[in-house]
Amino acid sequence: MKLVRLRDDARPRIALTLEGARIEAQQGDTLLTALLAAGAGYLRESEFEDGPRAGFCLMGACQDCWVTVVGRGRVRACATLAEPGMEVSRG
Amino acid sequence: MRVAVVGAGPAGVRAVEALVAAGLTPVWIDEAPDGGGRIYQRPPPGLLRDPGKLYGFEAGPATALHAALDALKPRTDWRPETLVWHLRPGAQRLSTLHRGRQAELAYDAAILCTGAMDRVIPIPGWTWPGVTTLGAAQIALKTQGCGIGRRVVFLGTGPLLWLVAYQYAKAGAQVAAVLDTTPFATKAMAAPGLLRGGTTFAKGLYYTAWLRARGVRIAEGITPLAIEGTAHGVTGVAWRDSAGRTHHVDCDATGMGWGLKPEAQLADLAAVPFRFDAQQHNWVPQRDAAGRTPVPGIYLAGDGAGIGGAEVAEIAGARAALALLEDSGHRVDAAQVTRLDARLARQARFRTALERAFPFPAALARAMADDTILCRCEGLRAGELRAAARAEAATGPAPEVNRAKAFTRVGMGRCQGRICGAAAAEILAAELGRDVAEVGRLRGQPPVKPIPIAPAAEAA
Ligand SMILES: Cc1cc2nc3c(=O)[nH]c(=O)nc-3n(C[C@H](O)[C@H](O)[C@H](O)COP(=O)(O)OP(=O)(O)OC[C@H]3O[C@@H](n4cnc5c(N)ncnc54)[C@H](O)[C@@H]3O)c2cc1C
Ligand code: FES
């Protein structure tokens, strides 16, 4: 899944990492936006081997967007703002 | 008197406004970083907040609601970013979680304004990255300036289907198709009643006409067959038209939804009884027209008390606050009460027409193929629920959804059945040859959303 920036896309840039690789995002992005707009493709693998997942409700209800942030543990990517230097891994 | 208001959407804002006007200082809680609720959700700091661009025709009400919200915050005990994860009516306590820290809050009365979420019907391929709810597609655009894809299909039924498609096209995304499961004739038949809704109906017609005028592919009365994709994402959508022909369109994302369902877990924990509302085709918590529930001290308003839309939510929020004030011995303005009641009654008639115009296609859920993933949390397929229902019916007592949950894990996952619950009930009812109201609803459990283990254990 690739999120497409349609408007308000000239905000200050911030950098974080996904599985150690640098990702550029914009101030005000949620983690879900930061990762999926940067081309991460998905956020986690289903535990039931039915494929990757990338969130579904974007309002904190479905819990399908869990990622892990160093120092914070597991968070919902749709309900967590991206911050400079965050070290994120999938699932 | 200690009053708690949960939710700072249209209903919560107007409830708090009435309480503050009466001299109270309620505790006001929302899980989100700011108020506004779903329709008037604000983008995070750093994004532009031009109401015209963000809320379209709703810019006026949005601006008014935000002004009220900001003015009320300092006059209340405002607690954003705070989840209410449990409510114990006997002890009259709420359990909250704020940035990993848990707290208990005693209340004498509470108004729950917890809103709604998309109602979905699983179809093959709905778990691919790139498939979201209609509401999610709107949230991405409204609060993040992003489209869920470059070329998007919108699928489902209801006012949100047409609104979100319009908003995407306007923002410069390509709308590959709008696929409405409701036939045109059904909507046309409801038109006379819809006229009562005034501008709401006019706006709906406008969005549809606007999309048609721009040559967006539109199909009504369709049956979705599959969202096609790979692990890399969505590639297209296939459907069958009313004449039985199959069609396909390429896309890289799909937004889907069939109306809304109340987020009523807290009302459930508060021991408010529920009833099946056949018109909405939803389980709704019981309350009177003013928002009083059979549980003393618990009041409900807005979409969390039954889907009514933003305008109703504002009126209902104010009305529930007046009911609370009246019940606790405050003097209330009788003329204001009468005015609010009249507006609520008028809106209810419009709502009846709207539900007729966009009925929930229960048959689509009931016909779900055995190998379609029903519960996305647990990877459970429709056939597994059917098999469990058959086995139970042969050996045990009359099954209902909570027994099915114990046997199959349907609705036991991290979302607590919010996503699959409506469709699971239809499948179970069809398998057992019963009415959907007879198979019950998945009961709410604390915590209403997953929280770190420690706080839950402490409060147990
Ligand atoms: C994603 C989405 C998009 C929508 N977009 C539109 C639209 O464009 N136009 C339209 O007319 N209608 C829209 N709706 C319908 C919408 O439900 C109503 O218009 C309106 O927002 C209802 O107002 P409300 O105050 O009842 O609830 P909401 O506006 O949903 O507000 C509920 C609030 O309660 C908070 N809350 C819920 N549970 C808890 C808890 N346990 N602890 C703490 N806080 C909690 C939520 O964070 C939220 O802020 C949308 C609905 C959804 C789900
Ligand atoms: S996408 Fe549903 S909880 Fe984040």
Side-chain angles (χ1 to χ4, degrees):
Chain A
M1 175 180 197
K2 178 92 160 79
L3 284 187
V4 182
R5 295 193 189 270
L6 292 171
R7 54 181 180 221
D8 201 3
D9 61 350
R11 288 169 275 137
R13 302 299 141 111
I14 58 175
L16 46 156
T17 62
L18 174 64
E19 322 283 6
R22 187 173 183 280
I23 274 191
E24 189 173 85
Q26 300 192 7
Q27 207 171 61
D29 280 357
T30 63
L31 276 179
L32 185 141
T33 302
L35 302 188
L36 296 179
Y42 67 101
L43 300 174
R44 50 180 282 267
E45 283 286 347
S46 156
E47 305 87 307
F48 303 95
E49 291 175 8
D50 52 36
R53 302 285 179 87
F56 184 60
C57 73
L58 267 65
M59 54 173 274
C62 76
Q63 319 297 326
D64 213 359
C65 64
W66 287 1
V67 296
T68 304
V69 178
V70 170
R72 289 232 205 149
R74 208 164 244 169
V75 300
R76 290 171 301 189
C78 73
T80 307
L81 283 184
E83 288 168 22
M86 269 184 169
E87 297 169 51
V88 187
S89 53
R90 290 193 168 93
Chain B
M1 189 168 76
R2 299 160 305 176
V3 180
V5 177
V6 184
V13 169
R14 296 306 174 197
V16 166
E17 188 173 53
L19 296 173
V20 167
L24 299 183
T25 310
V27 178
W28 193 10
I29 306 171
D30 200 300
E31 188 190 356
D34 198 353
R38 300 299 166 210
I39 175 169
Y40 307 134
Q41 187 173 340
R42 284 168 150 170
L47 278 92
L48 300 178
R49 288 184 167 183
D50 171 0
K53 282 224 162 61
L54 293 178
Y55 310 108
F57 287 134
E58 262 70 56
T63 307
L65 195 90
H66 291 155
L69 164 74
D70 290 336
L72 289 165
K73 284 174 189 170
R75 306 182 63 185
T76 63
D77 180 352
W78 166 238
R79 303 188 189 182
E81 267 184 274
T82 304
L83 170 74
V84 178
W85 61 268
H86 196 9
L87 185 157
R88 275 164 295 166
Q92 296 198 298
R93 290 170 91 82
L94 300 175
S95 307
T96 64
L97 186 75
H98 171 70
R99 298 192 177 171
R101 215 167 312 137
Q102 113 104 3
E104 292 279 309
L105 183 80
Y107 65 85
D108 300 307
I111 310 182
L112 308 178
C113 309
T114 46
M117 72 168 299
D118 290 84
R119 186 169 53 181
V120 301
I121 300 176
I123 54 178
W126 72 299
T127 56
W128 293 127
V131 185
T132 71
T133 62
L134 290 171
Q138 191 194 56
I139 289 169
L141 185 60
K142 190 159 57 177
T143 73
Q144 296 281 280
C146 287
I148 58 170
R150 202 165 282 290
R151 197 178 139 77
V152 187
V153 167
F154 293 102
L155 166 66
T157 203
L160 211 50
L161 174 72
W162 297 91
L163 169 63
V164 179
Y166 164 79
Q167 290 170 327
Y168 264 61
K170 261 214 117 174
Q174 203 186 337
V175 177
V178 181
L179 305 176
D180 192 338
T181 53
T182 306
F184 175 75
T186 307
K187 288 178 264 191
M189 243 149 28
L194 287 171
L195 287 171
R196 287 206 195 93
T199 58
T200 309
F201 181 51
K203 277 181 281 187
L205 287 180
Y206 176 83
Y207 301 139
T208 313
W210 191 96
L211 290 161
R212 277 189 206 285
R214 271 144 196 91
V216 170
R217 187 166 182 184
I218 288 171
E220 293 167 287
I222 64 109
T223 305
L225 296 175
I227 299 170
E228 297 153 352
T230 69
H232 300 295
V234 173
T235 56
V237 174
W239 73 94
R240 196 167 55 228
D241 67 22
S242 48
R245 288 177 301 246
T246 58
H247 302 265
H248 164 95
V249 62
D250 288 335
C251 62
D252 62 4
T254 303
M256 61 179 230
W258 283 266
L260 301 171
K261 58 198 267 290
E263 275 283 280
Q265 293 80 10
L266 288 180
D268 200 359
L269 294 178
V272 175
F274 278 57
R275 66 181 178 87
F276 188 76
D277 182 319
Q279 178 186 309
Q280 279 184 30
H281 209 83
N282 271 327
W283 285 95
V284 297
Q286 276 182 32
R287 49 153 179 116
D288 69 10
R292 290 183 186 88
T293 72
V295 181
I298 298 289
Y299 300 80
L300 306 173
D303 275 3
I307 308 305
E311 223 178 308
V312 172
E314 289 198 40
I315 311 167
R319 184 62 186 92
L322 293 183
L324 184 156
L325 290 166
E326 226 174 348
D327 297 348
S328 56
H330 288 75
R331 189 193 289 277
V332 302
D333 177 358
Q336 192 189 359
V337 168
T338 310
R339 236 177 3 252
L340 292 173
D341 284 343
R343 288 177 64 198
L344 284 172
R346 219 168 26 242
Q347 288 279 345
R349 289 195 292 274
F350 167 64
R351 200 70 213 176
T352 304
L354 197 61
E355 297 294 346
R356 281 204 194 111
F358 296 106
F360 178 70
L364 181 63
R366 291 176 171 228
M368 192 182 310
D370 275 346
D371 63 354
T372 301
I373 293 177
L374 163 64
C375 166
R376 62 190 287 135
C377 298
E378 296 289 316
L380 181 93
R381 292 173 198 263
E384 295 172 69
L385 177 60
R386 290 197 178 102
R390 280 195 299 270
E392 263 286 276
T395 55
E400 48 85 50
V401 282
N402 293 285
R403 282 188 66 81
K405 173 175 165 183
F407 286 104
T408 63
R409 301 187 59 77
V410 68
M412 203 181 263
R414 49 180 104 193
C415 88
Q416 287 205 6
R418 280 177 174 80
I419 308 289
C420 72
E426 295 296 343
I427 290 177
L428 200 57
E431 196 59 33
L432 301 169
R434 288 158 181 259
D435 192 84
V436 68
E438 290 177 64
V439 300
R441 68 193 171 86
L442 289 165
R443 283 188 294 268
Q445 309 261 342
V448 299
K449 287 183 184 176
I451 60 172
I453 302 297
E458 260 168 45

